[in-house]
Amino acid sequence: MSLMSVQQVAEFLGIPDIRVERLARENLLVATEQDESGKPLFNEDDVKRYKVLAERLGGL
């Protein structure tokens, strides 16, 4: 399992960092851990599945 930071997820999804943090707060993208500064870390497979779902629902 590979973990991705907020910045990596934002780059992968093509959205701003703040939007990734909002998705985590709203439990639309579930963080598996937190880094030393308290920022969420995401499972790479979960991020890929979220991207597929979001594209099917009409985009990010």
Side-chain angles (χ1 to χ4, degrees), residues 23-36:
L23 291 171
R25 253 191 335 270
E26 295 175 353
N27 291 319
L28 297 172
L29 189 57
V30 179
T32 55
E33 294 180 30
Q34 290 187 342
D35 65 10
E36 61 278 348

Side-chain angles (χ1 to χ4, degrees), residues 33-47:
E33 294 180 30
Q34 290 187 342
D35 65 10
E36 61 278 348
S37 65
K39 296 256 186 189
L41 295 172
F42 304 93
N43 180 331
E44 184 177 6
D45 293 334
D46 291 344
V47 174

Side-chain angles (χ1 to χ4, degrees), residues 4-21 23 29 42 47 51 60:
M4 299 175 74
S5 69
V6 170
Q7 293 80 16
Q8 291 170 321
V9 173
E11 187 176 308
F12 180 75
L13 296 177
I15 59 176
D17 293 0
I18 193 74
R19 187 156 172 213
V20 174
E21 292 175 7
L23 291 171
L29 189 57
F42 304 93
V47 174
K51 184 174 183 177
L60 294 167

